[in-house]
Amino acid sequence: MAQTVVLKVGMSCQGCVGAVNRVLGKMEGVESFDIDIKEQKVTVKGNVEPEAVFQTVSKTGKKTSFWPVEAEVEPKPKS
């Protein structure tokens, strides 16, 4: 089943982005991914398990954590 996994990854340069890009490009089940160096955010879509994506990105040596859930929820407008 396809799902989206969002990680916070400590990336400071294009070399860091390249390392994350490389490991995700080789990972089985990944359909697409987006790396945002400014937000330190990596979004992975595909037939993947969150823990497997976390372990794969962690292999780059970058500080990796799951993106806080609160940050993904859009604030509801007050009526």
Side-chain angles (χ1 to χ4, degrees):
M1 187 177 102
Q3 60 178 323
T4 302
V5 180
V6 185
L7 299 173
K8 183 173 181 65
V9 183
M11 299 173 288
S12 56
C13 65
Q14 287 304 318
C16 300
V17 171
V20 174
N21 196 352
R22 245 185 333 278
V23 296
L24 289 175
K26 293 179 190 170
M27 188 176 175
E28 205 172 303
V30 173
E31 291 168 12
S32 66
F33 57 90
D34 180 62
I35 301 171
D36 185 337
I37 190 170
K38 195 168 136 258
E39 292 281 331
Q40 307 272 293
K41 186 176 190 176
V42 176
T43 307
V44 182
K45 293 181 181 171
N47 189 12
V48 290
E49 288 298 320
E51 190 58 33
V53 175
F54 179 86
Q55 292 298 332
T56 298
V57 174
S58 293
K59 287 179 189 167
T60 62
K62 307 295 165 216
K63 185 175 183 324
T64 306
S65 60
F66 286 105
W67 194 264
V69 177
E70 311 84 62
E72 291 181 47
V73 178
E74 290 292 316
K76 291 192 173 98
K78 293 181 179 167
S79 20

